[in-house]
Amino acid sequence: LLSEIIAFDEPGVKTDGVISLREALDAGKGKADEATFDKRLSDIQPNDLATLIYTSGTTGNPKGVMLTHNNFYSNVDNTLYEMRDRKTGQPLLTDDFIFLSFLPLSHSLERTAGFHGAVYCGAKTAFARDISTILEDFTMVRPTIIVCVPRIYEKIHAGILGKLTLAPPAKQKIFAFASAQAAKNLHRVCRDLPVRSIKYKIANKLVFSKLKATLGMDRLKYAISGGAPLSVSDAEFFVGMGMKILEGFGLTETSPVTHFNRPWFIKPGTVGHAIRGTETKIADDGELLIRGPQVMAGYYKNEAATKEVFTEDGFFRTGDIAMIDEDGCLKITGRIKDIIVTAGGKNISPQNIENSVKNSRYVEQIAVIGDRRKFLSALVVPGFPELEAWAKQEGIEYRAVTELLTNAKLLWLFRKEIDENTVHFARVEQIRKFTLIKAEWTQVTGELTPTQKVKRRVIEKKYAAEIDAMYAGETGD
């Protein structure tokens, strides 16, 4: 039963049951009792409940994940055990690091990697004002480590490419030269080998160093990516510039880290190797199974759901479809609950298709549709700054965005972008039709989770008319 609320800021109006943090601290100083404090601390056991974190509910009702103190501690300890200099054995994360935190602390990735991890290292954490001001906060803080979801990398990458289209031809040529050097030396950066190429050093001086300074990433040592798959093109873009993007994998139920790319072995398109103490298995149906000290105690007051997600030998069923490649790296290929089963009985993972289409700088967001349908379609949110720049170059005049989105030349552009980025998929996985959406999907408008993942059910319900229109009177495979 709630008895009192402690507010970080001074309450504007004095209200019964509400005190400020300053008042709480002052009250605590006046009642110092070291023996009571020590007893309360010693009474806490490793397997006691530390927190409840509710799942995002992208495909169903949220469930309360029970995480213990040992879940969190073992996850941080086993993850950072891997982050050591291979020659000296010294920690790679030290007390002079500055973390920039902007994901909600109700998300297990931010809680573990951005908060507990910083405390473990004795480092500082700077809290961003808001996700909408994140680029300004980067330049203000100039962090040495960040914890991000792919959406942030996508937006930064798209923004850079969008500005490039408006740059003078000479600058475009310099950037093209730098990009070519990044691609040629990508393997050396991924394996933490010295890059001796003179051309790469020129590219770094002319482009990469200036770009990182502009973004506030000139001191950045490591950038962690998790929460959703990071596209290969986004990963290679930043890694090629010398930025260590360490993509990992985990779930709320695993506190969350189970795998991540090491600084000396980065393999874009995968989530790297398992951390110490984590066992990994692939079930016969392709589902990823995890066992380790970071796995939750269960779902709060939901024994049936808890029993359902554990195998008889104690492995947690992640709900993700995965494979382990020839280097022992884990590759996530989709979510079981997201699988589209077409009217023809074909099983299709929309995630892979969506990530490929998002390689286009004109595509901001996309949701592939097709469950129980005869063919695939897609709802596409354009990258509006890039789109408007393109329209200006093409001499297309319009009075409103809705008018631009129906322009025949623009629709042909999107048809071409979608086809080129999905050419490597099977015929049944091709996007037959698409509809352009005039407003970006956000957490505020309900289409995204706090970690920027698409809520498919919400989108399918909200845009039911647009989806039905794409299938009206159509036949297909």
Side-chain angles (χ1 to χ4, degrees), residues 239-468:
V239 175
M241 290 197 297
M243 293 169 59
K244 295 286 188 178
I245 305 280
L246 308 181
E247 184 178 6
F249 172 79
L251 305 98
T252 304
E253 290 89 341
T254 58
S255 305
V257 185
T258 67
H259 296 71
F260 76 99
N261 280 275
R262 311 304 196 260
W264 54 87
F265 199 101
I266 296 173
K267 191 170 186 181
T270 79
V271 293
H273 297 90
I275 65 171
R276 182 179 66 169
T278 297
E279 298 176 71
T280 304
K281 283 201 312 188
I282 307 296
D284 292 340
D285 62 356
E287 183 177 12
L288 173 65
L289 308 177
I290 296 291
R291 185 165 66 183
Q294 74 271 56
V295 177
M296 67 169 182
Y299 293 118
Y300 182 62
K301 294 185 177 180
N302 198 336
E303 290 183 13
T306 300
K307 187 175 180 181
E308 187 180 339
V309 295
F310 282 97
T311 64
E312 289 184 2
D313 54 352
F315 277 84
F316 174 70
R317 304 179 194 272
T318 64
D320 287 280
I321 304 167
M323 59 170 286
I324 297 173
D325 70 11
E326 66 280 3
D327 292 315
C329 293
L330 185 70
K331 183 178 177 65
I332 306 297
T333 58
R335 285 284 292 169
I336 290 175
K337 289 182 179 179
D338 288 343
I339 291 292
I340 289 171
V341 182
T342 67
K346 300 289 186 182
N347 286 8
I348 297 169
S349 173
Q351 249 179 18
N352 295 335
I353 301 169
E354 290 162 354
N355 286 338
S356 289
V357 175
K358 284 194 290 186
N359 286 333
S360 167
R361 70 174 185 267
Y362 299 109
V363 175
E364 183 76 12
Q365 296 161 306
I366 178 172
V368 170
I369 310 296
D371 199 44
R372 299 185 301 278
R373 306 277 191 172
K374 292 183 177 179
F375 58 86
L376 297 188
S377 65
L379 299 171
V380 179
V381 178
F384 288 105
E386 291 73 25
L387 197 61
E388 290 164 4
W390 174 86
K392 185 176 181 181
Q393 281 186 329
E394 296 294 321
I396 297 173
E397 296 182 357
Y398 57 94
R399 286 165 293 185
V401 171
T402 49
E403 183 181 343
L404 176 61
L405 296 184
T406 58
N407 180 277
K409 197 170 183 179
L410 180 137
L411 293 173
W412 175 85
L413 169 71
F414 274 86
R415 178 74 272 170
K416 175 172 164 289
E417 291 289 317
I418 290 171
D419 290 346
E420 286 181 356
N421 283 290
T422 56
V423 68
H424 55 291
F425 288 102
R427 183 170 177 263
V428 72
E429 296 174 303
Q430 299 299 313
I431 295 172
R432 184 82 62 84
K433 285 196 167 190
F434 66 91
T435 296
L436 299 180
I437 305 300
K438 66 180 180 180
E440 184 178 350
W441 297 330
T442 68
Q443 183 185 351
V444 173
T445 51
E447 301 92 354
L448 300 184
T449 70
T451 52
Q452 311 296 291
K453 284 189 284 191
V454 168
K455 290 184 175 180
R456 295 184 186 278
R457 289 186 181 179
V458 170
I459 286 173
E460 288 177 10
K461 184 176 181 180
K462 185 171 184 176
Y463 296 98
E466 287 85 349
I467 292 169
D468 289 342

Side-chain angles (χ1 to χ4, degrees), residues 130-200:
D130 187 78
I131 199 165
S132 63
T133 63
I134 190 62
L135 293 181
E136 294 174 34
D137 294 338
F138 270 130
T139 56
M140 185 188 303
V141 176
R142 295 172 61 221
T144 44
I145 185 166
I146 56 173
V147 182
C148 277
V149 291
R151 184 90 177 102
I152 305 300
Y153 299 108
E154 288 169 12
K155 289 183 78 71
I156 295 173
H157 188 184
I160 291 168
L161 295 181
K163 288 182 179 179
L164 185 64
T165 60
L166 304 176
K171 284 192 175 181
Q172 291 187 22
K173 286 182 179 178
I174 292 172
F175 191 87
F177 162 78
S179 296
Q181 300 314 308
K184 285 180 182 178
N185 293 278
L186 180 67
H187 68 288
R188 299 194 69 83
V189 180
C190 287
R191 295 297 178 269
D192 205 28
L193 299 171
V195 180
R196 298 188 177 90
S197 166
I198 297 298
K199 288 183 178 180
Y200 183 89

